[in-house]
Amino acid sequence: MELVRLIYVSSKTEAFDYREINNLLDTARENNEKRGITGTLCFSRKFFLQYLEGSRKSVGETFAKICADTRHNGIEIIDYQQIHKREFSHWTMGYIGDTDVNEEINLKYSGNIEFEPYKMSPESVLQWLLDMKFFVERGNPEHVDPLDLL
Ligand code: FAD
């Protein structure tokens, strides 16, 4: 099985209401578990940044569905490549929200303190995501996963 990762950025449309993030994560986690996909979704300001990893077939089919979703547009692939191991093996779809995104980590990987994923290089985006994973797992006291509130 070819293991691949795909990272893309997109912008929310008017069809997306933040309160729908629960539905979105719920569906993603359920589908991804069945397909052996792991990764993380970041939503901050008006941007989505998502990292998907799994078999080439599953990632491709899932990404095709995601591209057809009217809740976002402006989809740009930042990185797509074969990998030899997963980075998010225990997250069917981790969540990084506004309360997690922090200025220090933004500044480390970009020109300023704002979260501007369209302007980041593939390597910076990957390192940013790995730092954020570490930050959330270490227990950011302000981290809110919308599904925990249900
Ligand atoms: P369906 O039964 O078709 O839909 C499930 C629910 O999703 C519906 O009840 C509805 O509430 C909602 N929904 C679906 N499409 C829309 C729409 N266009 N507008 C409003 N609500 C809608 N899916 C994954 O499987 N894995 C992912 O990692 C993943 N990540 C996503 C990231 C982003 C930024 C976005 C916008 C969507 C993502 N999705 C993901 C959802 C994906 O686009 C499809 O909606 C989903 O895969 C359809 O799954 P389904 O056929 O099982 O469910």
Side-chain angles (χ1 to χ4, degrees), residues 8 20 23-24 27-28 31-32 41 48 50 52 62 65-66 69-72 93:
Y8 73 86
E20 277 175 40
N23 284 346
L24 198 155
T27 305
N31 290 344
N32 293 352
L41 176 68
F48 289 107
Q50 190 171 29
L52 299 163
T62 298
K65 285 212 267 182
I66 292 172
D69 198 313
T70 55
R71 291 173 287 185
H72 64 161
M93 194 40 62

Side-chain angles (χ1 to χ4, degrees), residues 30-119:
E30 206 180 311
N31 290 344
N32 293 352
E33 190 171 1
K34 286 184 206 144
R35 298 178 150 184
I37 289 184
T38 49
T40 191
L41 176 68
C42 171
F43 177 66
S44 180
R45 299 178 65 205
K46 56 183 180 183
F47 307 121
F48 289 107
L49 176 65
Q50 190 171 29
Y51 178 114
L52 299 163
E53 61 192 3
S55 75
R56 189 163 58 200
K57 185 169 186 291
S58 299
V59 169
E61 287 170 357
T62 298
F63 186 56
K65 285 212 267 182
I66 292 172
C67 285
D69 198 313
T70 55
R71 291 173 287 185
H72 64 161
N73 60 19
I75 297 170
E76 288 182 16
I77 294 175
I78 295 178
D79 185 48
Y80 177 79
Q81 62 177 274
Q82 196 173 326
I83 51 176
H84 63 277
K85 71 170 177 75
R86 294 178 190 249
E87 297 290 354
F88 294 90
S89 46
H90 50 302
W91 286 7
T92 50
M93 194 40 62
Y95 180 68
I96 297 168
D98 264 330
T99 52
D100 300 309
V101 172
N102 81 47
E103 296 180 349
E104 196 183 327
I105 300 180
N106 289 345
L107 190 62
K108 188 169 166 190
Y109 297 108
S110 60
N112 62 55
I113 57 172
E114 300 293 341
F115 176 60
E116 292 182 321
Y118 281 100
K119 296 185 181 170

